[in-house]
Amino acid sequence: MQTKFLLSKKDVKKKNFSDMKYDGTQLRGHFAYFDFKILGDSAVSWIGPCDVNFDHMVDGEDFLEGSAIRGSEMVHFIIEFFDQSLFSGVVLQRLFANIVRDVIYELSQLKNIKLDRSGDDLYFQKRKLSISIATKSPMSTLVHFAVNVRTEDVPVPAVGLKELKVNEVEFAKRCLSLLKLEYEDCQKATWKVRPVL
Amino acid sequence: MQTKFLLSKKDVKKKNFSDMKYDGTQLRGHFAYFDFKILGDSAVSWIGPCDVNFDHMVDGEDFLEGSAIRGSEMVHFIIEFFDQSLFSGVVLQRLFANIVRDVIYELSQLKNIKLDRSGDDLYFQKRKLSISIATKSPMSTLVHFAVNVRTEDVPVPAVGLKELKVNEVEFAKRCLSLLKLEYEDCQKATWKVRPVL
Amino acid sequence: MQTKFLLSKKDVKKKNFSDMKYDGTQLRGHFAYFDFKILGDSAVSWIGPCDVNFDHMVDGEDFLEGSAIRGSEMVHFIIEFFDQSLFSGVVLQRLFANIVRDVIYELSQLKNIKLDRSGDDLYFQKRKLSISIATKSPMSTLVHFAVNVRTEDVPVPAVGLKELKVNEVEFAKRCLSLLKLEYEDCQKATWKVRPVL
Amino acid sequence: MQTKFLLSKKDVKKKNFSDMKYDGTQLRGHFAYFDFKILGDSAVSWIGPCDVNFDHMVDGEDFLEGSAIRGSEMVHFIIEFFDQSLFSGVVLQRLFANIVRDVIYELSQLKNIKLDRSGDDLYFQKRKLSISIATKSPMSTLVHFAVNVRTEDVPVPAVGLKELKVNEVEFAKRCLSLLKLEYEDCQKATWKVRPVL
Amino acid sequence: MQTKFLLSKKDVKKKNFSDMKYDGTQLRGHFAYFDFKILGDSAVSWIGPCDVNFDHMVDGEDFLEGSAIRGSEMVHFIIEFFDQSLFSGVVLQRLFANIVRDVIYELSQLKNIKLDRSGDDLYFQKRKLSISIATKSPMSTLVHFAVNVRTEDVPVPAVGLKELKVNEVEFAKRCLSLLKLEYEDCQKATWKVRPVL
Amino acid sequence: MQTKFLLSKKDVKKKNFSDMKYDGTQLRGHFAYFDFKILGDSAVSWIGPCDVNFDHMVDGEDFLEGSAIRGSEMVHFIIEFFDQSLFSGVVLQRLFANIVRDVIYELSQLKNIKLDRSGDDLYFQKRKLSISIATKSPMSTLVHFAVNVRTEDVPVPAVGLKELKVNEVEFAKRCLSLLKLEYEDCQKATWKVRPVL
């Protein structure tokens, strides 16, 4: 798995992504390849606003409820991997939620904070810290995971990394690094086990 | 997913499992069905010793290193699910390690203990709390996960639920219950998401 | 498998389906979920006209021959199931044709009628009773099966449930109920069989 | 799909099958290829006794209940096809039960007999006419379907083709011929349908 | 596998393909079925110009580099097969490149020419002879392979069948015939091999 | 893909392979991992005799004909890769036959020799140069490919690398190196292509 943190708008020369706003169109097959020449399994992260167009809302629940998906500043992750099922993507998404929680525990300057995970969402004192969805493109499995930095514009009670005293750049890089380790370790685990009857 | 906690030896009438010792032969397709008439995706748990026969060691690493897999009393889980890949089994196994950790945090009478997860293993102060493997039978994906209750006979520095002040029966039932919720929620997540391009 | 019979136009609040006309657009992934909040494997039935838009004709044969697919009143079934192949969808479609035939034998007030099945089509005295197609969406396998109630507008020699003295509402409900039993029984059959060499 | 009816013991030169008794070992991958040089998807039929060894009982239900699977003379079918799921095998097995029923209706010299199908079993007046199982070998999907000719030795209330006034050789050949048509038509159906969204 | 060589514009009655120019839109699921009524696995060939519209450029590398894909006269092959992976399509594409090379060696009136294969491309004295891509439609795996006849309009140093003294019609037919043999032989090879542990 | 050439008996410390004779038992899942700690997709090569035990003959044709598979000295290759179909294994096997041929052309000190490929076999002047089989283990796809060095003990008219003036060690290493390039290039090709409709 290759990982890349897009430091600033200079990293992103594509006309249609120069504002680094996640609007749902980034959740597509080969996003990392066609926009950043990263080939194969990948995880890309950047910091930017979030405002998902209704047409690009892939979560049926949000769609049915007409929920707004919005935030003024979030750490975004787009994870893409090939030749795996949607089910494995959903489970990986939840494993990544645990990794995100561990990284916040590790980096936060607050003592003994406690985050709750409910499915693919993280909460701090019942306020929402993250959004996420796992889906399929014709050739790959995709996950979008985003964590609030600040909470302006978030349409529900929310918390962000600023309040949790976590540096967002350090956070993004640490999450990418742990995800890569975990993902590659999972792959290796499939190569070294004997079948049973 | 159906779950079952095998309370005592009376629950297990099978001649070849009346001692409730996990010896590796329990990690096979349809274990829950042929031994306990539980049909379909399942998770079964019981408390008993562990001594894996070298012939039933499915982890290539242990096999190559000739590691002993042993414990005098452990909470065992056998998880089986159909029509999914080994990769999804490995990721689920690691998600379950997180669930186990959360249950220990929830049930322990000690304050502010901290468990570390490394792949599919849990540690407390660098001592090993659990063992686990994910594999395939011809028709299903299987996970064995076991957590020390006591640590006699464990061939490496170890810790158990007794020392962590966690009731092992309560623990087993709570883990089964959270796993069932998580597993079924993951399945549902695959049915409600729209594909992308 | 969840099943639902849409009794009347009141059940269907969606603007674009309030006329209950099957025009081919209902044969899409998540139709039951996005329109009726039925999650997972499902079968939905209703009574309404049929007029398939040429652009939504998925059967290559009809498409190549420019056949009209039309009827003034039919019992429609949309069956959707996840994680299975198109081939299994085609075979299930034909099994469902047999179920439909059995239900007509059971409910008809005529004595000793005989229906012929040819592939996925049912005939009575060489007149066409039904139309059907099985296909794939990106995430599911889909079957449309429709049985004439009356035969006005049908572009080929046809027969309907009225002539066969079968109550169409009773028919729809009985078919849904038997399909659900059959489908779930097939699933169970895959969980209880031992592999061979 | 290639089909073959093994007329007599002369057709079967294999030492270990010269008695034409189905004992469960015939339900294995490549049976048609290794014993009769029939390559690829196939259906083979013969007439002979049935006595399934407990070790070769693949149906978990029979195994758990210790049921005997036995008959003095049955028409046997072994269907094998490659690159398809067990689920599709189970559905095909039930579609074949319908074909068998249609052939009996067609060939029987009795008037207006009625057979009931329950899952993969056929009954006449609550007496059992057939047995069947679908399973997987490492490389193929397999179905065994057998229909009583006579009912001696059958351990449950039973009926046979003799009583139903059906010639067993004609029956076997007609079933093979219709199965081949159905199977190939199902395959073609998967090649001519357009996907939907 | 069915094969067809489209001799001339008369063979192609479709309005949108009467000029026999490959523009990328021919690389789609069911091209052979919807345009020429060839059902199932197929290979179709014709001779015509090539000018791939940027919107139909499926090779990410060409797309990223904005390469033109163009030629005044090429022998085109569209290969489609069902129920196989993209990986197998890529490997088959390269095997086909070897077949193409062998056919040129066989038919060329020049002595001892040597073609180099690099991935899916063939070269003669560092000049490009062919272009190719393998991809997926929702229901099939597809390969486009095209060999220059003449080299006008080719945007890179190129060579064609004319210069290699190979008759292009004979070439197309021989390639189709060898591909069919190879493909069917590969299929058979999957039906006759025993699994290992 | 990791590759390894086993230079001599010292490289192979395993009791049951110290004679470096290929007897068919080397064609098993995880051979490279359990014997040489090579994890994941791999190709291993060595030089040694060949005498395949009838019980380990996986090619149905050889098995049915009772063919002996034998040679006094061959260059052996065991290729293993995960998560791919048997069909892709068969196609890769034939692509590898082409690679082997190219390497012989490259390394031979004879001028203008010509090898013929028929399926997965290579011939020189109608004499057999190689044997090969592709199969599946429960978790991987496997290929054995072996090329005669000398031809003593070969039960059919044969030719070897000695006669073709090819150094066998150089040959083995060059084949491994080109296979690795080809395999990884094929994988990359699956990650960079856009799907079509």
Side-chain angles (χ1 to χ4, degrees):
Chain A
M1 173 173 273
Q2 294 189 68
T3 61
K4 187 178 180 77
F5 180 67
L6 309 168
L7 193 56
S8 71
K9 295 185 186 183
K10 282 176 206 159
D11 259 12
V12 186
K13 286 148 206 158
K14 288 267 160 176
K15 236 182 357 217
N16 56 356
F17 187 50
S18 60
D19 58 357
M20 303 190 87
K21 182 174 78 178
Y22 179 82
D23 59 10
T25 61
Q26 291 78 20
L27 194 65
R28 66 171 182 275
H30 302 108
F31 168 69
Y33 179 57
F34 280 106
D35 283 18
F36 309 105
K37 301 206 179 183
I38 299 172
L39 188 61
D41 299 338
S42 69
V44 169
S45 177
W46 73 92
I47 295 167
C50 178
D51 193 356
V52 180
N53 191 306
F54 203 67
D55 287 346
H56 290 98
M57 209 167 273
V58 296
D59 187 336
E61 253 177 279
D62 295 330
F63 188 85
L64 285 175
E65 290 163 15
S67 312
I69 301 179
R70 217 166 47 221
S72 59
E73 191 180 14
M74 304 184 87
V75 182
H76 296 280
F77 300 91
I78 299 278
I79 308 169
E80 178 173 34
F81 49 104
F82 292 81
D83 293 317
Q84 301 290 356
S85 64
L86 176 55
F87 180 76
S88 71
V90 169
V91 182
L92 188 74
Q93 173 200 31
R94 282 148 196 247
L95 186 56
F96 186 61
N98 279 291
I99 291 173
V100 165
R101 182 166 62 164
D102 284 349
V103 170
I104 291 173
Y105 287 167
E106 183 189 324
L107 298 184
S108 172
Q109 292 166 35
L110 302 179
K111 277 196 182 158
N112 290 324
I113 56 169
K114 189 169 170 308
L115 299 176
D116 297 301
R117 180 177 69 88
S118 166
D120 53 8
D121 286 325
L122 292 173
Y123 291 87
F124 176 70
Q125 296 171 348
K126 310 216 166 163
R127 288 180 289 145
K128 209 158 186 280
L129 175 62
S130 65
I131 57 171
S132 181
I133 190 71
T135 187
K136 286 286 283 181
S137 79
M139 285 173 174
S140 61
T141 304
L142 288 155
V143 176
H144 173 241
F145 201 99
V147 179
N148 295 319
V149 176
R150 287 174 297 124
T151 59
E152 291 86 340
D153 288 339
V154 183
V156 293
V159 65
L161 293 175
K162 289 286 187 216
E163 184 182 338
L164 296 176
K165 302 283 184 205
V166 173
N167 178 284
E168 63 270 26
V169 173
E170 216 183 326
F171 165 81
K173 290 179 177 174
R174 182 76 175 136
C175 287
L176 285 177
S177 152
L178 289 182
L179 172 65
K180 179 184 165 69
L181 279 176
E182 188 89 49
Y183 181 80
E184 293 178 353
D185 202 47
C186 285
Q187 276 192 312
K188 278 178 197 156
T190 68
W191 298 332
K192 65 170 199 182
V193 74
R194 302 201 297 178
V196 295
L197 284 185
Chain B
M1 174 173 273
Q2 294 188 69
T3 59
K4 188 179 180 75
F5 179 67
L6 308 169
L7 194 56
S8 70
K9 295 185 186 182
K10 283 179 205 156
D11 259 13
V12 185
K13 285 149 207 156
K14 288 267 162 174
K15 236 180 359 213
N16 55 358
F17 187 49
S18 61
D19 58 358
M20 303 190 87
K21 183 174 80 180
Y22 179 83
D23 59 10
T25 62
Q26 291 79 21
L27 193 66
R28 66 172 183 274
H30 303 109
F31 168 68
Y33 180 57
F34 280 107
D35 283 17
F36 309 106
K37 300 205 179 184
I38 299 172
L39 189 60
D41 298 339
S42 69
V44 169
S45 177
W46 72 92
I47 295 167
C50 177
D51 193 356
V52 180
N53 191 305
F54 201 67
D55 286 348
H56 291 99
M57 209 166 274
V58 297
D59 187 337
E61 251 177 282
D62 295 331
F63 188 86
L64 286 176
E65 291 163 16
S67 311
I69 301 180
R70 218 164 48 219
S72 60
E73 192 179 14
M74 304 184 89
V75 182
H76 296 279
F77 299 91
I78 299 278
I79 308 168
E80 179 174 33
F81 49 103
F82 291 81
D83 294 316
Q84 300 291 356
S85 64
L86 176 55
F87 181 76
S88 70
V90 169
V91 183
L92 188 74
Q93 171 200 32
R94 282 149 195 246
L95 187 55
F96 187 61
N98 280 291
I99 291 173
V100 164
R101 182 166 63 163
D102 284 348
V103 170
I104 291 173
Y105 287 167
E106 182 190 324
L107 298 183
S108 171
Q109 291 166 34
L110 301 180
K111 276 196 183 158
N112 290 324
I113 56 169
K114 188 168 171 307
L115 299 175
D116 296 303
R117 179 176 71 86
S118 166
D120 53 7
D121 287 325
L122 291 173
Y123 292 86
F124 177 70
Q125 296 170 349
K126 309 216 166 161
R127 287 179 291 144
K128 212 159 185 276
L129 175 61
S130 64
I131 56 171
S132 181
I133 190 72
T135 188
K136 288 285 284 180
S137 79
M139 285 172 173
S140 61
T141 304
L142 289 154
V143 176
H144 174 242
F145 201 100
V147 179
N148 296 320
V149 178
R150 288 174 295 124
T151 58
E152 291 88 340
D153 289 338
V154 183
V156 293
V159 66
L161 293 175
K162 289 286 187 217
E163 183 182 339
L164 296 176
K165 302 284 183 203
V166 173
N167 177 285
E168 63 268 29
V169 173
E170 217 182 325
F171 166 80
K173 290 179 176 173
R174 183 76 176 135
C175 287
L176 285 177
S177 152
L178 289 182
L179 173 64
K180 179 185 164 70
L181 279 175
E182 188 89 49
Y183 181 80
E184 292 177 354
D185 202 48
C186 286
Q187 276 192 312
K188 277 177 198 157
T190 67
W191 298 332
K192 63 168 201 186
V193 74
R194 303 202 295 177
V196 296
L197 282 186
Chain C
M1 174 174 271
Q2 293 190 70
T3 60
K4 188 178 180 77
F5 179 67
L6 308 169
L7 193 56
S8 70
K9 295 185 186 183
K10 282 177 206 156
D11 258 14
V12 186
K13 285 149 206 156
K14 288 267 160 175
K15 238 183 352 217
N16 56 356
F17 188 50
S18 60
D19 58 357
M20 303 188 88
K21 183 174 79 180
Y22 179 82
D23 60 8
T25 62
Q26 291 79 19
L27 193 65
R28 65 172 182 275
H30 302 109
F31 168 69
Y33 179 58
F34 280 106
D35 282 18
F36 309 107
K37 299 205 179 184
I38 299 172
L39 188 60
D41 299 339
S42 69
V44 170
S45 177
W46 73 93
I47 295 167
C50 178
D51 193 357
V52 180
N53 191 306
F54 203 67
D55 287 347
H56 291 98
M57 209 166 273
V58 297
D59 188 335
E61 252 177 281
D62 296 330
F63 188 86
L64 285 176
E65 290 162 17
S67 313
I69 301 180
R70 216 164 49 219
S72 59
E73 192 179 13
M74 303 184 89
V75 183
H76 296 280
F77 299 91
I78 299 279
I79 308 169
E80 178 173 34
F81 49 103
F82 292 81
D83 293 317
Q84 301 290 356
S85 64
L86 176 54
F87 180 76
S88 70
V90 169
V91 183
L92 189 73
Q93 173 200 30
R94 282 147 195 248
L95 186 56
F96 187 61
N98 280 291
I99 291 173
V100 164
R101 181 166 61 162
D102 284 348
V103 170
I104 291 173
Y105 287 167
E106 183 190 324
L107 298 183
S108 173
Q109 292 166 34
L110 302 179
K111 277 195 181 158
N112 290 326
I113 56 170
K114 188 168 170 308
L115 300 175
D116 296 303
R117 179 176 72 85
S118 167
D120 53 8
D121 285 327
L122 291 173
Y123 291 87
F124 176 71
Q125 296 170 347
K126 309 217 168 162
R127 287 180 290 144
K128 210 158 185 278
L129 174 61
S130 64
I131 56 170
S132 181
I133 190 71
T135 187
K136 287 285 284 179
S137 79
M139 285 173 173
S140 60
T141 304
L142 288 155
V143 176
H144 174 241
F145 201 99
V147 179
N148 295 319
V149 178
R150 289 174 296 124
T151 58
E152 291 87 340
D153 289 339
V154 183
V156 294
V159 65
L161 293 175
K162 290 284 186 216
E163 184 182 339
L164 297 176
K165 301 283 183 203
V166 173
N167 178 285
E168 64 268 28
V169 174
E170 217 182 326
F171 165 81
K173 289 180 177 173
R174 183 76 175 134
C175 287
L176 285 178
S177 152
L178 289 182
L179 172 64
K180 179 185 163 72
L181 279 175
E182 188 90 49
Y183 181 80
E184 293 178 353
D185 201 47
C186 285
Q187 276 192 313
K188 278 178 197 155
T190 66
W191 296 333
K192 64 168 200 186
V193 73
R194 301 200 298 177
V196 295
L197 282 185
Chain D
M1 174 174 271
Q2 294 189 68
T3 60
K4 189 180 180 76
F5 179 67
L6 309 169
L7 193 57
S8 70
K9 294 185 189 183
K10 283 177 206 156
D11 259 13
V12 185
K13 286 149 206 155
K14 287 266 160 176
K15 236 180 2 213
N16 55 358
F17 187 49
S18 59
D19 58 358
M20 303 189 87
K21 183 173 80 179
Y22 179 82
D23 60 9
T25 60
Q26 290 79 19
L27 194 65
R28 65 172 183 276
H30 303 109
F31 168 69
Y33 180 57
F34 280 107
D35 284 18
F36 310 105
K37 300 207 179 181
I38 299 172
L39 188 60
D41 299 338
S42 69
V44 170
S45 177
W46 72 92
I47 296 167
C50 178
D51 192 357
V52 180
N53 190 305
F54 202 68
D55 286 348
H56 291 99
M57 209 166 273
V58 296
D59 187 336
E61 251 177 282
D62 295 329
F63 188 86
L64 285 175
E65 290 163 16
S67 312
I69 301 180
R70 217 165 49 218
S72 58
E73 192 179 14
M74 303 185 89
V75 182
H76 296 279
F77 299 91
I78 298 278
I79 308 168
E80 178 172 33
F81 48 104
F82 291 81
D83 293 317
Q84 300 291 356
S85 65
L86 176 54
F87 180 77
S88 71
V90 169
V91 182
L92 188 75
Q93 172 200 32
R94 282 148 195 248
L95 186 56
F96 187 61
N98 281 291
I99 291 173
V100 165
R101 182 165 63 162
D102 284 349
V103 171
I104 291 173
Y105 287 167
E106 183 190 323
L107 298 183
S108 173
Q109 293 165 32
L110 302 179
K111 277 198 181 155
N112 290 325
I113 56 169
K114 188 170 171 307
L115 299 176
D116 297 302
R117 181 177 69 87
S118 168
D120 51 9
D121 287 325
L122 291 173
Y123 292 87
F124 176 70
Q125 297 171 348
K126 308 216 167 163
R127 287 179 290 145
K128 211 158 186 281
L129 174 62
S130 64
I131 56 171
S132 181
I133 190 70
T135 187
K136 287 286 283 181
S137 78
M139 284 172 175
S140 62
T141 303
L142 288 155
V143 175
H144 174 241
F145 201 99
V147 179
N148 295 319
V149 177
R150 289 174 295 122
T151 58
E152 291 89 338
D153 288 340
V154 183
V156 293
V159 65
L161 293 176
K162 290 284 186 216
E163 183 182 340
L164 297 175
K165 303 281 184 204
V166 173
N167 177 284
E168 63 268 28
V169 173
E170 217 182 325
F171 165 81
K173 289 179 177 173
R174 182 78 176 134
C175 286
L176 285 178
S177 151
L178 289 182
L179 173 65
K180 179 185 163 72
L181 280 175
E182 188 89 49
Y183 181 80
E184 292 177 354
D185 201 48
C186 285
Q187 276 191 313
K188 277 177 198 157
T190 67
W191 297 332
K192 64 170 200 184
V193 73
R194 302 201 298 178
V196 296
L197 282 186
Chain E
M1 173 173 272
Q2 293 189 69
T3 60
K4 189 179 178 76
F5 179 67
L6 309 168
L7 193 57
S8 70
K9 294 186 187 182
K10 282 177 204 158
D11 258 12
V12 186
K13 287 147 205 157
K14 288 267 161 176
K15 238 183 354 218
N16 55 357
F17 187 49
S18 59
D19 59 356
M20 303 190 87
K21 183 174 80 180
Y22 180 81
D23 60 10
T25 62
Q26 291 79 20
L27 193 66
R28 64 172 184 275
H30 302 109
F31 168 69
Y33 180 58
F34 280 107
D35 283 17
F36 309 106
K37 301 208 179 183
I38 299 172
L39 188 61
D41 299 338
S42 69
V44 170
S45 177
W46 73 92
I47 296 168
C50 177
D51 193 357
V52 180
N53 190 306
F54 203 67
D55 287 347
H56 291 99
M57 209 167 273
V58 297
D59 186 336
E61 252 177 280
D62 295 330
F63 188 85
L64 285 175
E65 290 162 17
S67 312
I69 301 180
R70 218 166 46 219
S72 59
E73 191 180 15
M74 304 184 89
V75 182
H76 296 280
F77 299 91
I78 299 279
I79 308 169
E80 178 173 34
F81 48 103
F82 292 81
D83 293 317
Q84 300 292 356
S85 64
L86 176 55
F87 180 77
S88 70
V90 169
V91 183
L92 188 73
Q93 172 200 32
R94 282 148 195 248
L95 186 55
F96 187 61
N98 280 290
I99 291 173
V100 165
R101 182 166 60 162
D102 284 348
V103 171
I104 291 173
Y105 287 167
E106 183 190 324
L107 299 183
S108 173
Q109 293 166 33
L110 302 180
K111 276 196 182 158
N112 289 324
I113 57 170
K114 189 169 171 304
L115 299 175
D116 297 301
R117 180 176 68 87
S118 167
D120 52 8
D121 286 326
L122 291 173
Y123 291 86
F124 176 70
Q125 297 171 346
K126 310 217 167 160
R127 287 179 291 145
K128 210 159 185 276
L129 174 61
S130 64
I131 57 170
S132 181
I133 190 71
T135 187
K136 288 285 284 180
S137 79
M139 286 173 173
S140 61
T141 303
L142 289 155
V143 175
H144 174 242
F145 201 99
V147 179
N148 295 319
V149 178
R150 288 176 294 124
T151 58
E152 291 87 340
D153 287 340
V154 182
V156 294
V159 66
L161 293 175
K162 290 285 187 217
E163 183 181 341
L164 297 176
K165 302 282 183 203
V166 174
N167 178 285
E168 63 268 28
V169 173
E170 216 182 326
F171 166 80
K173 290 180 176 174
R174 182 77 176 135
C175 287
L176 286 177
S177 153
L178 289 183
L179 173 65
K180 179 184 164 73
L181 279 176
E182 186 90 50
Y183 182 80
E184 294 178 353
D185 201 47
C186 286
Q187 276 192 312
K188 278 177 197 158
T190 68
W191 297 333
K192 63 169 200 184
V193 73
R194 303 201 297 177
V196 295
L197 283 186
Chain F
M1 173 172 274
Q2 294 188 69
T3 59
K4 188 178 179 76
F5 179 67
L6 308 169
L7 193 56
S8 70
K9 295 186 186 183
K10 282 177 206 157
D11 258 13
V12 185
K13 285 147 206 158
K14 288 267 161 175
K15 237 182 357 215
N16 55 358
F17 187 49
S18 59
D19 59 357
M20 304 189 86
K21 182 173 80 181
Y22 179 81
D23 59 10
T25 62
Q26 290 79 20
L27 193 67
R28 64 171 185 275
H30 301 110
F31 168 69
Y33 180 57
F34 280 107
D35 283 19
F36 309 105
K37 301 207 179 182
I38 298 172
L39 189 60
D41 299 338
S42 69
V44 170
S45 176
W46 73 93
I47 296 167
C50 177
D51 193 356
V52 179
N53 190 306
F54 203 67
D55 287 347
H56 290 99
M57 210 166 272
V58 296
D59 187 335
E61 252 177 280
D62 296 330
F63 189 85
L64 285 175
E65 291 163 17
S67 312
I69 301 180
R70 218 164 48 219
S72 60
E73 191 180 14
M74 303 184 90
V75 182
H76 296 280
F77 298 90
I78 298 279
I79 308 169
E80 178 172 33
F81 48 103
F82 292 82
D83 294 315
Q84 300 292 357
S85 64
L86 176 54
F87 180 76
S88 70
V90 169
V91 183
L92 188 73
Q93 172 200 32
R94 282 148 195 249
L95 186 55
F96 187 61
N98 280 291
I99 291 173
V100 165
R101 181 166 62 163
D102 284 349
V103 171
I104 291 173
Y105 287 166
E106 182 190 325
L107 299 183
S108 172
Q109 292 166 33
L110 303 180
K111 276 199 182 156
N112 289 325
I113 56 170
K114 188 169 172 306
L115 299 175
D116 297 302
R117 180 176 69 88
S118 167
D120 52 8
D121 286 325
L122 291 173
Y123 291 86
F124 176 71
Q125 296 171 348
K126 308 217 167 162
R127 287 180 290 144
K128 212 160 185 276
L129 175 61
S130 64
I131 56 171
S132 180
I133 190 71
T135 188
K136 286 286 285 182
S137 78
M139 285 172 173
S140 61
T141 303
L142 288 155
V143 176
H144 174 241
F145 201 100
V147 179
N148 296 319
V149 178
R150 289 175 294 125
T151 57
E152 290 88 339
D153 290 339
V154 182
V156 294
V159 66
L161 294 175
K162 289 285 187 216
E163 183 182 339
L164 297 176
K165 302 283 184 202
V166 174
N167 177 285
E168 63 268 28
V169 173
E170 217 182 325
F171 165 79
K173 290 180 176 172
R174 182 76 175 135
C175 287
L176 286 177
S177 152
L178 289 183
L179 173 64
K180 179 184 164 72
L181 279 176
E182 187 90 48
Y183 181 80
E184 293 178 352
D185 201 47
C186 285
Q187 276 191 312
K188 277 177 198 157
T190 67
W191 298 332
K192 64 170 200 186
V193 74
R194 302 202 297 177
V196 296
L197 282 186

